[in-house]
Every structure is written in C-alpha cells, then in structure tokens.
Amino acid sequence: MKKILGLIVFTFAIFLTGCSNFASELTFAHLSDIHIPGFPDENTKAQSNQERVLRDAIWEINKTPGIDFTIFTGDMLNFTDKNLFTYILRICSDLKMPWYYTVGNHDILIGEHIPSGEIIEIVKKENPYYKFDGAYYAFQPKKGFTIIGLQGNREADDNWCTGYIPKDQLDFLDKVLTERKKDTILIFMHTPLMPPVDFMPEHDITNKDEVFEVLSKHKQPIAIFAGHYHVTK
C-alpha cells in the first residue's frame, strides 16, 4: 500500500510521501528549484521572494510530524555563487530532521562554472547528514528502503540545461539495484527521465535510454523524483 500527499508551495513543490514496505513506512519532504535569489522582474510574490518561500516551507516541514528526511533536488541557486549557496544551506540547516541534496544545473553552470565536486564540498561542510564522498550516493533510511541520489547534469557544456548520466553513475545504479533486490528504491535527481511536457526537448536527459536499460533489468519497485521543469505533473 502506498500513500501520496502533494502540497504545492508557490513555485516549487513539497511532496510528503509515505511508502509501506515490510510493515514499515517512510515519509519525506521533497523540494526542488528554489532559485534563490529568485526572479525580481516577475510580478508574482513567490518568484520575487524565494528566500522567504524557502523559510516558510522549512517551517511547514518542521511542524509536520513523522517526516524521516527532506531532500532537495537541485537549483537552490538561480546563478552560480558559492557564498550564496553556503547561505542557503545554512537556512536549510533549520530543518529538524536529516536532509540531503542532489545537484541542479543552475547550481553549477548558470554564470560562472563551478564543478559539482566543489559544490558537494560545501554541502559536506554545512550539512552533517551528507556523509557521501561525491555527488551521487545511496543509503538506507529505514529497513526495506534504499535512496539513490544521482548527478544528472553536464559538468561543462554549451547545452547547460540538458541532462546526462555518465557511465560511472550507470554502473553505480546497476550495482545498488543488484545489491538491494528486496528494497523499494527511491531515486532522486534534478532532471527527470520522463519529461512532463513535450515542448522543451533541450531540457531532456540525452542518454535516458541507457538509464532505462539499467532500470529494466531490475524488478523491485522503483520511483523517481525530480524537478527542473517547474511544473506539477
């Protein structure tokens, strides 16, 4: 039995999701595409006050009982800025539960190029729960569940909004799925494998067929959570 409750908060979504497996339940909050400092030219309150939106979201999450962890799937920034990224992470540290992060293209490519490894070093410094060596990882928050975080953005390319999963991550994904055959798998990444719209092909993952080939080899329940498109379907 799986329960899903979605709560849309202004320009990004929080999903409080419960999944039953082996008589256990996992509940988490998912945030994506916060884009601080926002879009000052926009005429909506949400898009011009992204920091306040984030703080309000954290307040809502903290007052919601039973959340096991929160995860951000990228684009914390609108334009690359290490100092601002550190500031945002310190806001996220107000969360009263473990929280995790996957890299977004705006975090490393929009403006000055910042390698994902440098961004992850900042995350490791500011977030005691991020104990992974690099930008992709796997862990078990509870028995019967495995979380996989992937880095699906190009490190440096003219196609800055296009996603790509390199071979080392494909091998890692296959290895984890092989080892966790009895688990329910939740994959988090910035760019979705199945685009919610068909009029922005430049935002797609260019080698998604290779990813699906890996996933198709495995029979356990697999769910994928992403952002990038700023839509709610």
Side-chain angles (χ1 to χ4, degrees), residues 89-104:
L89 296 182
R90 290 175 181 175
I91 296 174
C92 297
S93 293
D94 288 338
L95 285 162
K96 297 179 180 178
M97 74 284 296
W99 56 280
Y100 305 96
Y101 165 80
T102 65
V103 178

Side-chain angles (χ1 to χ4, degrees), residues 71-94:
I71 189 163
F72 300 85
T73 52
D75 282 5
M76 312 290 273
L77 297 167
N78 207 15
F79 298 96
T80 53
D81 184 322
K82 290 183 181 180
N83 291 331
L84 182 56
F85 187 70
T86 299
Y87 175 75
I88 296 168
L89 296 182
R90 290 175 181 175
I91 296 174
C92 297
S93 293
D94 288 338

Side-chain angles (χ1 to χ4, degrees), residues 49-230:
N49 292 276
Q50 295 295 84
E51 179 181 335
R52 181 174 178 179
V53 172
L54 173 60
R55 291 184 183 275
D56 287 348
I58 289 172
W59 181 79
E60 290 285 351
I61 292 169
N62 282 339
K63 75 173 188 177
T64 303
I67 297 180
D68 296 300
F69 68 89
T70 294
I71 189 163
F72 300 85
T73 52
D75 282 5
M76 312 290 273
L77 297 167
N78 207 15
F79 298 96
T80 53
D81 184 322
K82 290 183 181 180
N83 291 331
L84 182 56
F85 187 70
T86 299
Y87 175 75
I88 296 168
L89 296 182
R90 290 175 181 175
I91 296 174
C92 297
S93 293
D94 288 338
L95 285 162
K96 297 179 180 178
M97 74 284 296
W99 56 280
Y100 305 96
Y101 165 80
T102 65
V103 178
N105 61 308
H106 278 255
D107 300 331
I108 61 173
L109 291 173
I110 311 304
E112 177 188 1
H113 170 233
I114 302 174
S116 63
E118 293 184 19
I119 283 291
I120 292 302
E121 286 303 311
I122 299 173
V123 175
K124 290 164 68 174
K125 180 179 178 181
E126 299 296 333
N127 181 2
Y129 300 104
Y130 197 101
K131 301 181 184 298
F132 319 110
D133 291 333
Y136 59 94
Y137 54 85
F139 67 97
Q140 288 181 296
K142 284 185 176 180
K143 182 179 179 181
F145 297 94
T146 290
I147 306 300
I148 299 174
L150 296 178
Q151 202 303 72
N153 307 282
R154 295 181 180 274
E155 287 288 345
D157 196 292
D158 290 339
N159 297 321
W160 54 266
C161 58
T162 302
Y164 180 80
I165 307 294
K167 187 178 186 305
D168 60 335
Q169 291 191 57
L170 292 174
D171 292 343
F172 173 79
L173 178 63
D174 189 35
K175 179 176 182 291
V176 173
L177 293 176
T178 300
E179 293 173 348
R180 307 286 172 83
K181 292 181 178 180
K182 295 183 178 180
D183 279 9
T184 292
I185 306 295
L186 306 180
I187 299 173
F188 293 89
M189 55 199 298
H190 181 63
T191 305
L193 285 174
M194 299 180 67
V197 297
D198 58 7
F199 53 84
M200 290 192 291
E202 71 278 5
H203 284 66
D204 207 352
I205 292 179
T206 57
N207 66 330
K208 63 183 179 183
D209 289 345
E210 295 178 43
V211 184
F212 280 120
E213 183 178 351
V214 172
L215 296 176
S216 67
K217 294 165 53 180
H218 303 277
K219 305 304 180 184
Q220 66 267 59
I222 299 173
I224 301 173
F225 299 83
H228 195 46
Y229 281 85
H230 302 188

Side-chain angles (χ1 to χ4, degrees), residues 1-3 17-27 143-145 184 221:
M1 176 182 178
K2 296 187 177 182
K3 300 178 293 180
T17 306
C19 303
S20 295
N21 189 8
F22 298 109
S24 66
E25 183 174 279
L26 183 69
T27 304
K143 182 179 179 181
F145 297 94
T184 292

